């Protein structure tokens, strides 16, 4: 079964990211994906002596994070929009690693008053720089798809967009597997 990891980007108290991540997880077809939600809130800011490109991770928290990302077949990043971009913890989580992101199929689900469009666009640039395979984005807009308390009431359009992203991730995983076979 394909391994899907969903990363929660926000670490602030009262965050709704875990609720959005759980909703995304529930949308993944059960027969296609084994889903695990990852919460990088316990990661300290980048504290390895070696540059991430070296792949020489000495600290247990970095080794664990690298293992989670490496062992996944695809990833969905769930990110709020803070000040027209994504929050610092997801940037840190990306910056801690390098090779583990290479060619990894990733989708982004933003959320906020404008659907997280700026956050998703900025995060896509960062992920592309570390050679991730960003397949696309969608966003949940407060009051239309999501309450400020985290209750997801997504429109059929948003559900369809997420379904298409999950299908794109699955296709990319299949493509990668056929190339390596």
């Amino acid at each position: 079964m394909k391994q899907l990891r969903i990363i929660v980007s926000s670490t602030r108290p009262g965050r709704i990211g875990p609720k959005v991540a759980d909703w995304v997880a529930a949308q993944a077809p059960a027969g296609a994906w084994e889903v695990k939600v990852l919460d990088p809130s316990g990661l300290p800011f980048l504290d390895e002596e070696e540059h991430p490109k070296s792949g020489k991770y000495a600290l247990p928290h970095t080794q664990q994070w690298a293992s989670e990302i490496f062992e996944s077949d695809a990833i969905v990043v769930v990110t709020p929009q803070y000040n027209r971009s994504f929050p610092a913890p997801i940037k840190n989580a990306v910056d801690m690693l390098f090779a583990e992101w290479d060619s990894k199929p990733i989708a982004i689900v933003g959320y906020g008053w404008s659907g997280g469009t700026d956050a998703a666009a900025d995060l896509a640039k960062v992920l592309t720089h570390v050679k991730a395979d960003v397949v696309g984005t969608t966003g949940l807009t407060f009051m239309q798809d999501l309450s400020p308390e985290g209750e997801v009431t997504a429109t059929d359009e948003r559900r369809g967009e997420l379904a298409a992203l999950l299908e794109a991730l699955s296709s990319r995983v299949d493509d990668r597997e056929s190339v390596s076979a």
Side-chain angles (χ1 to χ4, degrees):
M1 189 169 305
K2 297 173 191 163
Q3 301 296 310
L4 179 65
R5 299 298 177 255
I6 301 171
I7 301 174
V8 178
S9 295
S10 175
T11 61
R12 71 179 184 148
R15 65 194 172 140
I16 64 170
K19 293 178 183 178
V20 177
D22 288 344
W23 175 79
V24 170
Q27 305 309 302
W33 296 106
E34 182 178 318
V35 180
K36 183 176 181 182
V37 175
L38 302 178
D39 186 348
S41 63
L43 289 176
F45 275 93
L46 181 58
D47 58 351
E48 290 281 347
E49 291 292 326
E50 297 279 341
H51 192 284
K53 274 191 174 181
S54 75
K56 296 177 185 172
Y57 308 127
L59 301 172
H61 56 265
T62 311
Q63 293 168 349
Q64 176 63 32
W65 182 242
S67 177
E68 291 285 4
I69 300 305
F70 178 77
E71 292 172 7
S72 67
D73 293 311
I75 295 171
V76 176
V77 179
V78 173
T79 187
Q81 183 160 302
Y82 289 177
N83 297 317
R84 307 215 49 91
S85 193
F86 55 86
I90 189 60
K91 178 71 163 72
N92 180 59
V94 171
D95 289 348
M96 291 185 86
L97 309 176
F98 190 78
E100 293 78 6
W101 301 113
D102 191 8
S103 301
K104 187 73 64 174
I106 299 179
I108 302 169
V109 176
Y111 63 92
W113 292 104
S114 66
T117 55
D118 292 328
D122 287 352
L123 184 54
K125 284 187 233 174
V126 170
L127 289 166
T128 300
H129 180 74
V130 294
K131 302 182 187 330
D133 179 11
V134 179
V135 302
T137 68
T138 190
L140 302 175
T141 303
F142 283 134
M143 309 315 285
Q144 179 180 331
D145 304 301
L146 178 68
S147 76
E149 296 77 33
E151 181 186 343
V152 180
T153 56
T155 63
D156 288 341
E157 180 181 0
R158 292 298 164 263
R159 288 177 188 277
E161 288 172 0
L162 179 57
L165 286 175
L166 292 169
E167 181 57 37
L169 289 174
S170 183
S171 292
R172 294 285 169 77
V173 171
D174 291 344
D175 292 347
R176 288 179 67 192
E177 289 175 356
S178 68
V179 168
S180 64

